[in-house]
Amino acid sequence: MTEIAAFDYSLATRMVVGSGAIARLGTLAAELGGRRALVVSDPGVVRAGHTSLGIASLEQAGLVVECFTGLAENPTTEQVDAGAACARAFRPDIIVGIGGGSSMDCAKGINFLLSCGGRMADYWGRGKATASMLPSIAVPTTAGTGSEMQSFALITDAQTHVKMACGDPRAAFRVAILDVLLTLTQPPRVTALSGIDALAHAVESHVSRAATPASRIFSREAWRLLAGNLPRVFADGGDAAARAAVQLGAAWAGMAIENAMLGAAHALANPLTAAHHVVHGHAVGLMLPHVLRFNAAACGPAYEELAADLPADPAPPGASAAPAAARIADWVTGLLVQGRLATTLSAAGIREPDVAALSRAAAGQWTGGFNPRPVDAATLAGLYEAAR
Ligand SMILES: [Fe+2]
């Protein structure tokens, strides 16, 4: 008899998936009672024309729209404050995030401040919302963070540069619209960075100490879709079928994170972003192969299962007898190369890393506590050293 671990799972977000599905945004917003929509979008997404498609759909459904675009990559508390001020003046009854993780997280952050008051730091952690929040809709234009399917907003403290994960079930989007046509315009570098982030979400959540039978359904399928299709997308950004698979894989990974959290690769990545401005997906990709090898002793069977989904191994017969962790790690490094991303800290421009300071910061990351093999500042320092 298989023993089933206890868990508590509920689906917070309705998924609407389809090519051209952004045209349904207005109707879906109206169904949620929306009459005044605050659209949160970053300037690059506006330039790509996606934001105006969303606004047109909202206006066609009779909604009045205000657009806030004062955000950048890794949205800061100052940017969220500015968005909240814009929202207080406009008085929306629904919030729509159109863009990558930054737009979606900023939309959630604005919702926290508008609905519950205070400042972003008040919501750092889980379940700190003090009131019900406005209904919100996500329209992702990248396939990476999975923010569309989870209740956390990553907001960077403008002073300390610390990334605060602020989550509450009430902050989850009510609807996520996955329209593959919006992801076709991602430049190759954005495709690589967001794709590798999503892949790390799948593998870290799959072996997390907090993983449940429900979260593993999502992480397993996320991995299958991402491992099978990221190489195709990196080779041909116009491959819409592979793009759609990657978009769905990133969303499933977001659902896995919501319930299982992440692991040491994310704990190690965040200080690299804070201290050296390495883009999140790249920082995760630099560290993930070393974390896979480190975790091998704790989760060999789970890695064996994932390794079975790796695209055809070009190595000669017999060569694949390497442990699954090593095969996956080598494959991730190959994917970084295919995505034209540096594979070591020094090649990424970090020649003299302050390993002691970085590993102290990594040891303080909440997400590291979910790594299947316990980590502390000393083991994390070893992983930074391995990545040099
Ligand atoms: Fe991530």
Side-chain angles (χ1 to χ4, degrees):
M1 195 177 81
T2 309
E3 187 147 342
I4 301 293
F7 69 94
D8 183 336
Y9 174 75
S10 69
L11 183 60
T13 304
R14 173 181 174 187
M15 287 173 92
V16 176
V17 182
S19 185
I22 194 172
R24 295 178 60 188
L25 173 60
T27 311
L28 290 162
E31 275 179 29
L32 289 171
R35 300 168 67 94
R36 298 174 66 81
L38 178 73
V39 170
V40 180
S41 204
D42 77 69
V45 173
V46 173
R47 277 196 299 278
H50 304 319
T51 314
S52 58
L53 279 178
I55 291 172
S57 173
L58 289 163
E59 289 180 342
Q60 209 168 16
L63 281 87
V64 179
V65 180
E66 175 69 88
C67 192
F68 174 73
T69 61
L71 65 113
E73 205 167 273
N74 302 317
T76 65
T77 43
E78 283 174 357
Q79 290 159 1
V80 175
D81 288 343
C86 169
R88 280 186 205 102
F90 176 65
R91 291 177 291 107
D93 50 22
I94 190 164
I95 297 180
V96 179
I98 303 177
S102 302
S103 299
M104 293 186 281
D105 285 358
C106 192
K108 283 183 210 162
I110 291 169
N111 203 353
F112 268 114
L113 299 190
L114 188 66
S115 302
C116 308
R119 17 179 237 125
M120 232 29 250
D122 299 335
Y123 308 104
W124 190 0
R126 187 166 218 187
K128 305 241 176 109
T130 55
S132 59
M133 294 171 67
L134 288 186
S136 56
I137 298 179
V139 188
T141 61
T142 62
T145 67
S147 180
E148 66 273 19
M149 296 306 296
Q150 36 109 349
S151 65
F152 281 83
L154 289 180
I155 306 297
T156 301
D157 186 302
Q159 264 70 51
T160 63
H161 306 292
V162 169
K163 259 193 186 191
M164 301 183 289
C166 307
D168 190 286
R170 288 168 281 193
F173 292 107
R174 296 279 290 276
V175 180
I177 298 175
L178 304 191
D179 179 348
V180 69
L181 300 182
L182 306 181
T183 73
L184 294 176
T185 55
Q186 289 176 88
R189 185 172 158 79
V190 174
T191 301
L193 292 167
S194 52
I196 285 169
D197 187 28
L199 189 80
H201 294 165
V203 66
E204 290 220 283
S205 60
H206 197 62
V207 298
S208 156
R209 299 158 85 87
T212 70
S215 72
R216 281 192 209 97
I217 292 172
F218 301 122
S219 53
R220 184 75 187 82
E221 178 63 1
W223 171 264
R224 190 185 70 80
L225 289 171
L226 293 165
N229 290 281
L230 278 174
R232 288 175 57 192
V233 165
F234 284 15
D236 175 10
D239 184 337
R243 284 273 196 199
V246 167
Q247 184 183 41
L248 187 57
W252 292 142
M255 290 170 72
I257 303 176
E258 174 73 12
N259 293 275
M261 307 301 146
L262 290 159
H266 274 76
L268 289 154
N270 291 340
L272 292 176
T273 301
H276 297 281
H277 310 291
V278 183
V279 180
H280 176 73
H282 193 193
V284 171
L286 283 166
M287 300 314 303
L288 182 62
H290 305 288
V291 171
L292 283 158
R293 288 193 177 87
F294 173 78
N295 284 346
C299 39
Y303 284 162
E304 285 294 346
E305 191 191 330
L306 298 183
D309 281 334
L310 292 177
D313 187 352
S320 63
R327 297 204 312 276
I328 300 172
D330 289 345
W331 180 78
V332 170
T333 302
L335 200 61
L336 286 169
V337 173
Q338 195 192 353
R340 298 181 188 280
L341 297 170
T343 60
T344 63
L345 294 181
S346 60
I350 308 171
R351 291 193 177 78
E352 300 289 338
D354 184 344
V355 170
L358 286 170
S359 49
R360 265 198 309 277
Q365 298 284 318
W366 180 55
T367 191
F370 299 99
N371 197 63
R373 194 173 158 195
V375 288
D376 57 18
T379 47
L380 293 166
L383 292 167
Y384 282 126
E385 290 292 349
R388 289 178 80 167

